[in-house]
Amino acid sequence: KQSDTFEYNYDETYRPIYHFSPPYGWMNDPNGMVYKDGEYHLFYQYNPYGTRWGNMHWGHAVSKNLRKWEHLPVALFPDALGTIFSGSAVIDKNNTGGFGKDALIAIYTSAGKNQTQSIAYSLDNGRTFTTYNQNPVLTDSNIVDFRDPKVFWHDASAQWIMSLATSQTITFYGSKNLKEWNKLSEFGEGIGSHGGVWECPDLFPLTYDGKTKWVLFVSINPGGPNGGSATQYFIGDFNGKTFTPDTMNYPLWLDYGRDNYAGVTWSDIPATDGRRLFIGWMNNWDYANNTPTENFCSAMTLPRELKLAHNGEHLVVSSIPVKEINELRRENQRFDNQKIEKSYTFDKLLKDNVGAYEMEFVVKPQGATAFEFKLFNQNNEQMRFIFDLKNKTLAVDRSKSGKLDFSDNFAQTVINAPLPTKNSYKIRLFVDKNSTEIFVNDGEVVQTNTMFPTAAYNSLSFDNEQGIISVENINVYNLK
Ligand code: FRU
């Protein structure tokens, strides 16, 4: 059944409240995110026939504010060239492709006998698409993993640039018309993580200290820092032909949690806005096909704004939820500042807690070399967040977080992220039924991890073995 006609159960236990999830069926990578005429488009890898991977289509939704999403009918269907794998979309402002001024053009992988790149255009803001009659537009029968085209218009070299995942490298192609592509260069040999296949690249500029740097995202599966799939990145320069990485200690990871994969950024955000906006798939190939949701599978991360930041040691790509998300805040519980010696518990975070809320607070470890806090429920289920300042790690422990038995790969003891030493940690933690997203110090350290508790976590306790920690500006908001 197609998603727009399906009578779906929106109230099932692990259906997120404020994260995007498909009405029915399986979802993986976000695709073709593009902004046009006041709408943020979100297409996505979609199986409309079941809750497991297969039969890939592009599902479609739009939003005016990155908070509420309107489900639209399936945008792209499998055809003679294959099923529809990941890709991107652009607005062809100058009609370089000849499909029409301001055509919305999707560039995607046709997954048939070989993986090839195809295009389709829409003249009605993504409501209907026509596939180009000369597809595919890019082939290479020597490479099995040849996919996930991400395209942007590069002003300086006056051409479209495509980043394409080509097995264990990213190959860049150039085109004047989106139809004919020629190879520019290849990046990735001997640098970064190569524990698995390279997928879903994205090349885009960000500024730091008034200087433009180019960032290259490469998703990799498996080989992530905590197992399974994850997104690594490189920072460097791009001259219209070649990407040259800065000397850094690669790999760097966008999100050290287990559940943020295949994310890329929106195209055609107006210059007056100027933000670089991102969304990722909130799951992991290690267990995605086993997760215990019923009528649907998977949600996206919150839409996030990416920036370059200096974490005291080196440049990083930071990410925080877009500011639009603040408008989801409903009832607010404010708690008094606490100086904590050993432990302290906030028994009841919210009066009505369905498991969809945001918490923010600042922790000042005044001499303590470690502290942790945990969210928990009456069934002894818990999510632990452990700040080890001596070993410079933020660990998330979901080994007692709720349902675990659906996959052997789900409950590992700790999920680690590097944590620079600071006098103060500003923490924002988003909980939405089956997910946690923690942002430390404006997104310099991020972890996204799913969980399947049998009741909402409505208590929070802090623990620190020695020393005193001060916890300040504690706010909890119901989000809706
Ligand atoms: C990443 C990925 C892509 C591919 C798509 C297929 O999760 O493997 O490389 O295009 O999923 O659904």
Side-chain angles (χ1 to χ4, degrees):
K1 266 190 185 168
Q2 220 177 288
S3 58
D4 52 321
T5 56
F6 191 85
E7 298 274 327
Y8 54 86
N9 175 6
Y10 218 84
D11 290 330
E12 70 169 271
T13 317
Y14 298 118
R15 173 74 80 175
I17 304 283
Y18 60 90
H19 284 74
F20 179 80
S21 61
Y24 169 82
W26 161 278
M27 173 176 81
N28 56 296
D29 313 358
N31 294 152
M33 295 104 82
V34 64
Y35 179 87
K36 184 169 193 280
D37 298 338
E39 289 179 331
Y40 297 91
H41 291 265
L42 172 61
F43 301 91
Y44 52 90
Q45 285 291 280
Y46 186 42
N47 181 4
Y49 305 112
T51 56
R52 298 300 175 234
W53 187 86
N55 314 308
M56 298 324 290
H57 296 54
W58 273 24
H60 189 197
V62 289
S63 174
K64 290 190 164 59
N65 52 26
L66 297 168
R67 279 190 300 278
K68 301 286 177 217
W69 294 92
E70 181 192 343
H71 293 294
L72 293 176
V74 168
L76 295 173
F77 295 81
D79 60 22
L81 292 173
T83 54
I84 315 293
F85 273 19
S86 286
S88 51
V90 293
I91 306 305
D92 190 5
K93 297 191 181 93
N94 298 319
N95 197 15
T96 62
F99 300 117
K101 188 172 153 33
D102 289 330
L104 191 161
I105 300 186
I107 308 104
Y108 57 90
T109 300
S110 293
K113 217 166 97 252
N114 291 316
Q115 297 183 348
T116 60
Q117 318 320 314
S118 295
I119 61 179
Y121 63 94
S122 170
L123 302 176
D124 57 1
N125 285 351
R127 270 49 179 191
T128 58
F129 280 88
T130 308
T131 47
Y132 175 46
N133 59 16
Q134 311 279 321
N135 277 337
V137 295
L138 180 62
T139 62
D140 187 335
S141 52
N142 295 318
I143 312 177
V144 179
D145 294 300
F146 187 67
R147 60 176 179 264
D148 308 340
K150 180 75 163 76
V151 173
F152 69 98
W153 177 258
H154 186 240
D155 247 340
S157 64
Q159 63 182 332
W160 298 100
I161 303 283
M162 177 196 293
S163 311
L164 192 72
T166 46
S167 191
Q168 292 267 320
T169 57
I170 302 304
T171 305
F172 300 107
Y173 297 86
S175 173
K176 294 282 179 198
N177 56 14
L178 296 162
K179 297 168 176 166
E180 287 128 40
W181 294 90
N182 59 296
K183 182 171 166 173
L184 300 171
S185 64
E186 198 174 338
F187 167 82
E189 232 187 86
I191 188 169
S193 177
H194 287 273
V197 65
W198 282 26
E199 303 183 315
C200 301
D202 191 5
L203 175 68
F204 54 88
L206 285 177
T207 53
Y208 183 73
D209 224 1
K211 234 179 106 193
T212 299
K213 298 300 296 179
W214 288 80
V215 174
L216 177 65
F217 278 9
V218 178
S219 280
I220 174 174
N221 175 45
N226 289 292
S229 41
T231 301
Q232 63 178 321
Y233 65 87
F234 303 88
I235 302 175
D237 296 303
F238 180 69
N239 62 6
K241 192 163 192 267
T242 316
F243 173 77
T244 312
D246 290 355
T247 309
M248 303 255 281
N249 213 357
Y250 298 112
L252 297 171
W253 303 94
L254 179 67
D255 187 321
Y256 282 79
R258 293 268 274 153
D259 298 289
N260 180 359
Y261 191 60
V264 291
T265 64
W266 256 274
S267 305
D268 293 272
I269 298 295
T272 46
D273 178 319
R275 290 179 296 174
R276 183 53 59 171
L277 303 176
F278 165 95
I279 202 165
W281 175 46
M282 203 155 54
N283 215 328
N284 189 314
W285 281 117
D286 260 6
Y287 42 75
N289 268 296
N290 301 314
T291 46
T293 50
E294 287 161 31
N295 292 290
F296 74 103
C297 186
S298 299
M300 294 300 179
T301 65
L302 283 175
R304 300 177 186 179
E305 180 180 359
L306 304 179
K307 286 184 183 166
L308 281 177
H310 205 286
N311 71 3
E313 293 172 4
H314 55 84
L315 278 184
V316 291
V317 175
S318 69
S319 53
I320 47 159
V322 294
K323 61 178 190 299
E324 287 87 338
I325 293 299
N326 293 347
E327 307 284 309
L328 294 169
R329 290 172 174 175
R330 297 291 177 266
E331 306 79 41
N332 174 14
Q333 277 260 48
R334 209 190 151 79
F335 295 94
D336 291 338
N337 293 352
Q338 295 293 333
K339 287 225 184 287
I340 301 174
E341 207 183 329
K342 290 219 158 53
S343 73
Y344 187 86
T345 299
F346 299 90
D347 274 328
K348 201 170 172 193
L349 293 177
L350 290 164
K351 222 172 352 97
D352 297 306
N353 190 339
V354 298
Y357 52 92
E358 172 192 355
M359 290 183 349
E360 51 174 23
F361 49 83
V362 174
V363 179
K364 295 183 179 154
Q366 304 174 331
T369 53
F371 65 90
E372 67 170 84
F373 56 87
K374 66 170 190 259
L375 285 170
F376 60 100
N377 63 20
Q378 67 273 22
N379 302 338
N380 272 326
E381 295 164 350
Q382 53 178 259
M383 264 318 250
R384 287 171 68 205
F385 300 85
I386 306 148
F387 288 67
D388 181 338
L389 311 184
K390 226 166 67 232
N391 293 310
K392 297 182 165 212
T393 53
L394 163 59
V396 177
D397 178 355
R398 64 176 177 188
S399 63
K400 297 192 185 92
S401 57
K403 279 192 192 167
L404 304 168
D405 58 1
F406 56 89
S407 164
D408 290 342
N409 292 327
F410 185 77
Q412 66 189 74
T413 29
V414 286
I415 303 165
N416 280 310
L419 180 80
T421 312
K422 301 269 160 109
N423 300 328
S424 159
Y425 295 95
K426 192 168 113 199
I427 291 157
R428 285 179 82 189
L429 175 59
F430 290 81
V431 177
D432 192 2
K433 294 282 197 85
N434 76 332
S435 64
T436 57
E437 291 164 282
I438 185 168
F439 301 89
V440 182
N441 292 346
D442 296 314
E444 286 174 17
V445 180
V446 179
Q447 283 219 27
T448 302
N449 293 293
T450 54
M451 60 191 186
F452 298 92
T454 56
Y457 298 133
N458 201 21
S459 304
L460 171 70
S461 70
F462 284 86
D463 282 286
N464 50 304
E465 271 176 11
Q466 21 72 9
I468 292 177
I469 62 168
S470 157
V471 186
E472 300 170 7
N473 300 332
I474 314 162
N475 275 296
V476 185
Y477 305 90
N478 253 321
L479 299 192
K480 226 181 190 156

PDB file of all heavy atoms in Angstrom, residues 141-153:
ATOM      1  N   SER A 141      31.228   0.419 -15.265  1.00  0.00           N
ATOM      2  CA  SER A 141      30.910  -0.976 -14.967  1.00  0.00           C
ATOM      3  C   SER A 141      32.023  -1.671 -14.192  1.00  0.00           C
ATOM      4  O   SER A 141      31.872  -2.799 -13.743  1.00  0.00           O
ATOM      5  CB  SER A 141      30.603  -1.736 -16.259  1.00  0.00           C
ATOM      6  OG  SER A 141      31.663  -1.527 -17.160  1.00  0.00           O
ATOM      7  N   ASN A 142      33.163  -0.962 -13.988  1.00  0.00           N
ATOM      8  CA  ASN A 142      34.259  -1.593 -13.235  1.00  0.00           C
ATOM      9  C   ASN A 142      34.116  -1.449 -11.730  1.00  0.00           C
ATOM     10  O   ASN A 142      34.828  -2.097 -10.979  1.00  0.00           O
ATOM     11  CB  ASN A 142      35.607  -0.981 -13.638  1.00  0.00           C
ATOM     12  CG  ASN A 142      35.917  -1.286 -15.085  1.00  0.00           C
ATOM     13  OD1 ASN A 142      35.694  -2.415 -15.534  1.00  0.00           O
ATOM     14  ND2 ASN A 142      36.378  -0.295 -15.809  1.00  0.00           N
ATOM     15  N   ILE A 143      33.238  -0.555 -11.293  1.00  0.00           N
ATOM     16  CA  ILE A 143      33.119  -0.322  -9.850  1.00  0.00           C
ATOM     17  C   ILE A 143      31.757  -0.808  -9.373  1.00  0.00           C
ATOM     18  O   ILE A 143      30.719  -0.358  -9.846  1.00  0.00           O
ATOM     19  CB  ILE A 143      33.289   1.177  -9.494  1.00  0.00           C
ATOM     20  CG1 ILE A 143      34.532   1.753 -10.201  1.00  0.00           C
ATOM     21  CG2 ILE A 143      33.423   1.368  -7.992  1.00  0.00           C
ATOM     22  CD1 ILE A 143      34.731   3.234  -9.977  1.00  0.00           C
ATOM     23  N   VAL A 144      31.774  -1.760  -8.439  1.00  0.00           N
ATOM     24  CA  VAL A 144      30.514  -2.311  -7.932  1.00  0.00           C
ATOM     25  C   VAL A 144      29.778  -1.280  -7.073  1.00  0.00           C
ATOM     26  O   VAL A 144      28.598  -1.028  -7.267  1.00  0.00           O
ATOM     27  CB  VAL A 144      30.782  -3.596  -7.112  1.00  0.00           C
ATOM     28  CG1 VAL A 144      29.478  -4.155  -6.560  1.00  0.00           C
ATOM     29  CG2 VAL A 144      31.486  -4.632  -7.980  1.00  0.00           C
ATOM     30  N   ASP A 145      30.513  -0.697  -6.102  1.00  0.00           N
ATOM     31  CA  ASP A 145      29.891   0.303  -5.213  1.00  0.00           C
ATOM     32  C   ASP A 145      30.129   1.680  -5.799  1.00  0.00           C
ATOM     33  O   ASP A 145      31.200   2.270  -5.638  1.00  0.00           O
ATOM     34  CB  ASP A 145      30.487   0.190  -3.809  1.00  0.00           C
ATOM     35  CG  ASP A 145      30.125  -1.131  -3.161  1.00  0.00           C
ATOM     36  OD1 ASP A 145      28.925  -1.391  -2.990  1.00  0.00           O
ATOM     37  OD2 ASP A 145      31.049  -1.913  -2.848  1.00  0.00           O
ATOM     38  N   PHE A 146      29.151   2.183  -6.503  1.00  0.00           N
ATOM     39  CA  PHE A 146      29.292   3.377  -7.343  1.00  0.00           C
ATOM     40  C   PHE A 146      28.001   4.162  -7.160  1.00  0.00           C
ATOM     41  O   PHE A 146      27.046   3.979  -7.910  1.00  0.00           O
ATOM     42  CB  PHE A 146      29.454   2.886  -8.792  1.00  0.00           C
ATOM     43  CG  PHE A 146      29.788   3.927  -9.815  1.00  0.00           C
ATOM     44  CD1 PHE A 146      31.007   4.584  -9.807  1.00  0.00           C
ATOM     45  CD2 PHE A 146      28.879   4.229 -10.833  1.00  0.00           C
ATOM     46  CE1 PHE A 146      31.316   5.514 -10.794  1.00  0.00           C
ATOM     47  CE2 PHE A 146      29.179   5.167 -11.814  1.00  0.00           C
ATOM     48  CZ  PHE A 146      30.407   5.814 -11.787  1.00  0.00           C
ATOM     49  N   ARG A 147      27.965   4.992  -6.091  1.00  0.00           N
ATOM     50  CA  ARG A 147      26.629   5.509  -5.760  1.00  0.00           C
ATOM     51  C   ARG A 147      26.609   6.772  -4.910  1.00  0.00           C
ATOM     52  O   ARG A 147      27.617   7.259  -4.460  1.00  0.00           O
ATOM     53  CB  ARG A 147      25.835   4.420  -5.047  1.00  0.00           C
ATOM     54  CG  ARG A 147      26.443   3.917  -3.745  1.00  0.00           C
ATOM     55  CD  ARG A 147      25.495   2.905  -3.089  1.00  0.00           C
ATOM     56  NE  ARG A 147      26.025   2.370  -1.850  1.00  0.00           N
ATOM     57  CZ  ARG A 147      26.685   1.223  -1.758  1.00  0.00           C
ATOM     58  NH1 ARG A 147      26.905   0.494  -2.822  1.00  0.00           N
ATOM     59  NH2 ARG A 147      27.139   0.802  -0.577  1.00  0.00           N
ATOM     60  N   ASP A 148      25.392   7.242  -4.669  1.00  0.00           N
ATOM     61  CA  ASP A 148      25.049   8.332  -3.749  1.00  0.00           C
ATOM     62  C   ASP A 148      25.558   9.693  -4.225  1.00  0.00           C
ATOM     63  O   ASP A 148      26.286  10.398  -3.508  1.00  0.00           O
ATOM     64  CB  ASP A 148      25.560   8.030  -2.322  1.00  0.00           C
ATOM     65  CG  ASP A 148      25.121   6.659  -1.823  1.00  0.00           C
ATOM     66  OD1 ASP A 148      24.148   6.119  -2.382  1.00  0.00           O
ATOM     67  OD2 ASP A 148      25.747   6.134  -0.882  1.00  0.00           O
ATOM     68  N   PRO A 149      25.184  10.111  -5.444  1.00  0.00           N
ATOM     69  CA  PRO A 149      25.659  11.394  -5.981  1.00  0.00           C
ATOM     70  C   PRO A 149      25.127  12.585  -5.190  1.00  0.00           C
ATOM     71  O   PRO A 149      23.929  12.678  -4.928  1.00  0.00           O
ATOM     72  CB  PRO A 149      25.094  11.399  -7.410  1.00  0.00           C
ATOM     73  CG  PRO A 149      23.883  10.520  -7.356  1.00  0.00           C
ATOM     74  CD  PRO A 149      24.236   9.446  -6.363  1.00  0.00           C
ATOM     75  N   LYS A 150      26.046  13.462  -4.787  1.00  0.00           N
ATOM     76  CA  LYS A 150      25.645  14.707  -4.096  1.00  0.00           C
ATOM     77  C   LYS A 150      26.172  15.842  -4.947  1.00  0.00           C
ATOM     78  O   LYS A 150      27.379  15.948  -5.186  1.00  0.00           O
ATOM     79  CB  LYS A 150      26.248  14.728  -2.691  1.00  0.00           C
ATOM     80  CG  LYS A 150      25.897  15.986  -1.885  1.00  0.00           C
ATOM     81  CD  LYS A 150      24.465  15.969  -1.364  1.00  0.00           C
ATOM     82  CE  LYS A 150      24.187  16.952  -0.251  1.00  0.00           C
ATOM     83  NZ  LYS A 150      24.042  18.350  -0.617  1.00  0.00           N
ATOM     84  N   VAL A 151      25.269  16.695  -5.426  1.00  0.00           N
ATOM     85  CA  VAL A 151      25.614  17.692  -6.442  1.00  0.00           C
ATOM     86  C   VAL A 151      25.404  19.113  -5.914  1.00  0.00           C
ATOM     87  O   VAL A 151      24.456  19.370  -5.167  1.00  0.00           O
ATOM     88  CB  VAL A 151      24.753  17.453  -7.714  1.00  0.00           C
ATOM     89  CG1 VAL A 151      24.962  18.562  -8.739  1.00  0.00           C
ATOM     90  CG2 VAL A 151      25.079  16.089  -8.331  1.00  0.00           C
ATOM     91  N   PHE A 152      26.301  20.024  -6.290  1.00  0.00           N
ATOM     92  CA  PHE A 152      26.084  21.453  -6.011  1.00  0.00           C
ATOM     93  C   PHE A 152      26.674  22.270  -7.148  1.00  0.00           C
ATOM     94  O   PHE A 152      27.532  21.793  -7.901  1.00  0.00           O
ATOM     95  CB  PHE A 152      26.701  21.868  -4.666  1.00  0.00           C
ATOM     96  CG  PHE A 152      28.211  21.855  -4.649  1.00  0.00           C
ATOM     97  CD1 PHE A 152      28.938  23.023  -4.840  1.00  0.00           C
ATOM     98  CD2 PHE A 152      28.908  20.668  -4.443  1.00  0.00           C
ATOM     99  CE1 PHE A 152      30.336  23.017  -4.837  1.00  0.00           C
ATOM    100  CE2 PHE A 152      30.308  20.646  -4.441  1.00  0.00           C
ATOM    101  CZ  PHE A 152      31.014  21.826  -4.635  1.00  0.00           C
ATOM    102  N   TRP A 153      26.204  23.514  -7.284  1.00  0.00           N
ATOM    103  CA  TRP A 153      26.746  24.434  -8.291  1.00  0.00           C
ATOM    104  C   TRP A 153      27.940  25.146  -7.696  1.00  0.00           C
ATOM    105  O   TRP A 153      27.841  25.776  -6.634  1.00  0.00           O
ATOM    106  CB  TRP A 153      25.690  25.448  -8.718  1.00  0.00           C
ATOM    107  CG  TRP A 153      26.239  26.451  -9.702  1.00  0.00           C
ATOM    108  CD1 TRP A 153      26.625  27.734  -9.446  1.00  0.00           C
ATOM    109  CD2 TRP A 153      26.483  26.231 -11.098  1.00  0.00           C
ATOM    110  NE1 TRP A 153      27.104  28.325 -10.587  1.00  0.00           N
ATOM    111  CE2 TRP A 153      27.023  27.432 -11.629  1.00  0.00           C
ATOM    112  CE3 TRP A 153      26.297  25.135 -11.957  1.00  0.00           C
ATOM    113  CZ2 TRP A 153      27.378  27.563 -12.967  1.00  0.00           C
ATOM    114  CZ3 TRP A 153      26.664  25.274 -13.303  1.00  0.00           C
ATOM    115  CH2 TRP A 153      27.183  26.474 -13.797  1.00  0.00           C
TER     116      TRP A 153
END
